[in-house]
Amino acid sequence: MPKVYIKTYGCQMNERDSEQVSQMFIERGYTMTREEPEADVVLINTCSVRDQAEQKAVGKMGMLRKIHRQRTHVVTGFMGCMAQSRGQELITAAKVDLVVGTQKYHRVVEYVEQIVRAREERLMDHEKFSIVDVEEETASQNAIRDHILKEKQASAFVSIMQGCNMKCTFCIVPYTRGGERGRPIAEIVAEVRRLAEQGIKEVTLLGQIVNLYGRHEFPVQDGKSPFVQLLEAVHEVDGIERIRFTSPHPIGYKADLIDAFTYLPKLAEHVHLPLQSGSDAILKRMHRPYTAAKFEDLVGRIRAARPGIAVTTDIIVGFPGETEENYQETRALCDRVQFENAFIFRYSKRRGTPAAEMDEALQLSERVKEERNQDLLALINRHAQAKYLPLVGTRTEVLCEGPSKTDASRLVGRTRTNKIVVFEGPAERLTGSLLEVQITDFANFTLYGDAVLAN
C-alpha cells in the first residue's frame, strides 16, 4: 500500500484538519507513516500566523525533497493557510506537485490520485503536472467530521465551524480561512456521540472564533445563542465528562455563555481569553472591539460564575505605534488580572494584513519587542507559578493521556483547569481514564504527583 507522511504546523484546527485528511487516505487504501524516507506522498499542513511558521514549512519541504531525490514517484504538496495565501507561487518556489487551500481538505486524496494517474499516463513528458486549488467551496466546514483514534485515547477535537469575520489588523486568518461558517448542531452532536461510544471522555470544540459559532446561520432560542445551545446539547451526551472550547473572542462572552458555567458542570474550569493588548489605543489600532476595562470586567464575571476557573490569554507586544506608556498599560492589566498562563508574541508583519501596511515610522525595533516580551513573560510567570503552590498536598481530578513523551516510565494528564500533571501509575490500567492524583510538587508549569488507586 502507498504510504503517506503528513507534517502539521500551527494551531489545533490544523491538527484536526490533518487528522481528517489522514482518515480519508486510510479509507482509500493508503497507510499513514511517521517515517519520512518511506513515504510515497509527502504533505505539509501549513500556518501563516507568523512568518517563522511559513519559513519552517518551506524549509521542511526542502529537506524532504532532498530525502526523496532518487524517488521520483513521490507526490509532494502543501495544504492549509500558507497554501491558501500563496497559491500558485509555491509550485515554482518550493517545486511541489500540489497546493490545496483551507476549504479543500476533502479533495486532497482525489488530487493526489489525479497526479499519480497523470504520471502513469506520461502526461508529464513535456510539462510538469501540478494542481493548485485555493477556491472557496460551499459547505466545506461540514467535511471535517471523521477521526483517527488511538487505543484508549481520552480526548478529541471537534471542528464546529470554519472562518472568521473579525478582521483584526494583525491577523491573516480571515484571508486564509474565509468568512464564518458553522456546522449544524445535530451533526456536531452526532460526531460527539460517536466519539463517546469509542471511549472519548473529553471533547474540545474548535473554531477560529468558537464562541461566535452559528450567529449567521442559526437563531437565538430562549435567549440562548447557537453556541450555548450547542454546549447544552453536547453536555447531554452520555460518556462525555469534560467539554472545552477554543479559541474564543472576548465579544463572544455574552451573558448566556457566562451563565452556562453556572449550570453545565461538564464545562471544564478553563477559558483561553485573548487580550492582545491592555492599551485602548492599541486595541483600537488592532481593530479589537473592546476596551481594557471591559476585558477586565469580563474576567471578573467569568471568575464569579465558576470560582476557581483558570484564565489564560494571548498578548502581542511591539505592535506598530505601541509606546512605552501603552506597554505599561498592558503590563498593569496583567498584574491585576493575574493570568494562569499567557502566550506572548513579538509583533511581526504578515503580508496581506492591514497592520503590515501601517506607516514604517510606527514599527518598533526587535530589541524593544524582545525587552517587552521578556519583561511581561517574567510577570506572567510570577503570577502563574504562585497559583501552583497551593495545589501541592491536594488531590485533583486528572484525565490520563498515557505515557509522558519525555519519560515513558511516567504518565501524563490534565486537570480540569488544563494544568499538566506527571504522575506514577500503571499505564495499561490508567490510560484514558479519569482518576485522582495526589500532588507532591510542581516546576515550570507542570504538576507532579502519585495516582490515588482503589484496591
Side-chain angles (χ1 to χ4, degrees):
M1 293 295 178
K3 296 180 179 180
V4 181
Y5 172 84
I6 299 179
K7 175 68 175 178
T8 306
Y9 293 98
C11 64
Q12 293 160 323
M13 184 73 75
N14 278 13
E15 295 284 354
R16 181 68 188 92
D17 292 337
S18 291
E19 185 183 81
Q20 179 67 49
V21 173
S22 298
Q23 177 64 25
M24 290 178 173
F25 272 112
I26 290 170
E27 289 173 355
R28 296 282 275 270
Y30 295 76
T31 59
M32 305 306 297
T33 179
R34 294 183 179 180
E35 303 300 323
E36 300 165 359
E38 67 181 23
D40 303 291
V41 180
V42 173
L43 300 172
I44 296 181
N45 198 0
T46 60
C47 174
S48 276
V49 170
R50 293 195 293 172
D51 182 65
Q52 183 181 23
E54 291 196 2
Q55 295 305 317
K56 280 185 178 180
V58 172
K60 181 68 172 179
M61 181 59 76
M63 185 190 75
L64 291 171
R65 285 183 54 79
K66 288 181 181 178
I67 292 174
H68 294 284
R69 186 180 293 125
Q70 305 304 320
R71 306 178 75 228
T72 57
H73 73 284
V74 174
V75 177
T76 59
F78 288 111
M79 308 181 292
C81 290
M82 184 181 77
Q84 182 72 37
S85 64
R86 296 177 62 174
Q88 180 69 39
E89 72 175 83
L90 288 173
I91 295 292
T92 52
K95 297 181 174 59
V96 294
D97 306 300
L98 177 64
V99 175
V100 179
T102 56
Q103 298 187 34
K104 300 292 185 173
Y105 287 108
H106 56 295
R107 300 195 181 277
V108 170
V109 182
E110 169 192 340
Y111 289 152
V112 166
E113 293 185 340
Q114 283 185 31
I115 292 168
V116 171
R117 284 196 300 272
R119 289 176 174 177
E120 291 173 347
E121 296 168 2
R122 300 188 178 278
L123 296 180
M124 293 172 57
D125 284 349
H126 304 292
E127 184 176 354
K128 179 180 173 66
F129 182 81
S130 60
I131 296 176
V132 177
D133 189 354
V134 294
E135 299 301 315
E136 293 184 7
E137 182 158 336
T138 302
S140 63
Q141 71 274 17
N142 297 324
I144 311 299
R145 61 182 182 273
D146 299 314
H147 294 261
I148 300 176
L149 299 182
K150 297 177 291 187
E151 185 179 2
K152 294 188 175 182
Q153 184 172 326
S155 59
F157 294 115
V158 176
S159 179
I160 68 170
M161 62 184 293
Q162 288 182 342
C164 177
N165 292 0
M166 297 307 298
K167 301 290 179 69
C168 300
T169 57
F170 55 80
C171 186
I172 193 70
V173 168
Y175 310 100
T176 59
R177 288 279 182 174
E180 295 170 14
R181 309 173 305 283
R183 297 173 59 196
I185 289 177
E187 289 187 12
I188 297 168
V189 172
E191 179 180 335
V192 172
R193 190 172 289 113
R194 290 194 298 272
L195 289 169
E197 290 169 353
Q198 296 177 76
I200 293 296
K201 293 181 174 60
E202 174 186 280
V203 291
T204 300
L205 307 181
L206 293 180
Q208 257 71 44
I209 305 291
V210 68
N211 54 348
L212 295 181
Y213 159 82
R215 60 177 175 161
H216 302 297
E217 297 101 332
F218 313 121
V220 173
Q221 295 184 359
D222 299 322
K224 295 175 181 176
S225 66
F227 184 61
V228 171
Q229 295 171 42
L230 174 62
L231 290 176
E232 292 181 341
V234 172
H235 197 276
E236 293 301 309
V237 176
D238 290 337
I240 297 300
E241 302 291 342
R242 294 180 181 178
I243 303 169
R244 303 186 189 275
F245 55 87
T246 197
S247 178
H249 193 290
I251 69 164
Y253 274 96
K254 307 300 185 186
D256 64 328
L257 177 53
I258 296 173
D259 190 47
F261 280 93
T262 68
Y263 66 88
L264 295 179
K266 292 182 182 180
L267 268 180
E269 288 85 356
H270 170 242
V271 294
H272 188 71
L273 195 57
L275 168 63
Q276 307 301 3
S277 175
S279 163
D280 289 349
I282 298 301
L283 287 171
K284 185 175 182 180
R285 192 170 289 152
M286 288 177 166
H287 198 211
R288 302 285 287 183
Y290 53 85
T291 64
K294 287 184 177 179
F295 181 93
E296 193 169 354
D297 176 70
L298 173 60
V299 173
R301 288 186 286 129
I302 292 172
R303 284 173 169 166
R306 182 71 70 83
I309 196 168
V311 181
T312 57
T313 194
D314 295 332
I315 298 171
I316 297 172
V317 295
F319 189 79
E322 183 187 71
T323 65
E324 179 62 25
E325 180 182 0
N326 297 149
Y327 168 67
Q328 290 299 328
E329 290 174 323
T330 298
R331 193 182 193 282
L333 189 148
C334 291
D335 201 19
R336 294 191 302 271
V337 172
Q338 300 185 15
F339 295 106
E340 297 272 338
N341 205 345
F343 297 100
I344 304 172
F345 304 96
R346 299 185 303 275
Y347 171 76
S348 62
K349 288 185 177 181
R350 299 308 304 122
R351 182 178 61 173
T353 63
E357 305 301 320
M358 290 180 179
D359 192 333
E360 191 63 32
L362 297 174
Q363 305 297 326
L364 277 67
S365 70
E366 291 304 316
R367 179 185 61 80
V368 171
K369 293 177 189 178
E370 180 62 16
E371 288 175 353
R372 292 177 182 176
N373 188 331
Q374 294 303 319
D375 178 62
L376 192 57
L377 186 62
L379 174 70
I380 294 290
N381 287 350
R382 187 165 69 250
H383 285 310
Q385 293 293 298
K387 296 179 184 294
Y388 280 69
L389 184 59
L391 298 176
V392 175
T394 67
R395 290 185 180 184
T396 186
E397 181 190 88
V398 172
L399 180 57
C400 180
E401 299 170 358
S404 168
K405 293 179 180 179
T406 58
D407 183 355
S409 67
R410 290 178 162 185
L411 300 176
V412 67
R414 290 183 183 268
T415 68
R416 290 181 62 90
T417 56
N418 208 37
K419 291 180 176 64
I420 297 172
V421 183
V422 174
F423 57 98
E424 308 287 346
E428 183 65 27
R429 176 179 172 186
L430 299 182
T431 298
S433 66
L434 284 165
L435 68 148
E436 294 287 306
V437 172
Q438 181 78 22
I439 304 301
T440 59
D441 199 1
F442 74 95
N444 299 324
F445 297 99
T446 300
L447 296 166
Y448 295 89
D450 298 304
V452 180
L453 303 178
N455 291 331

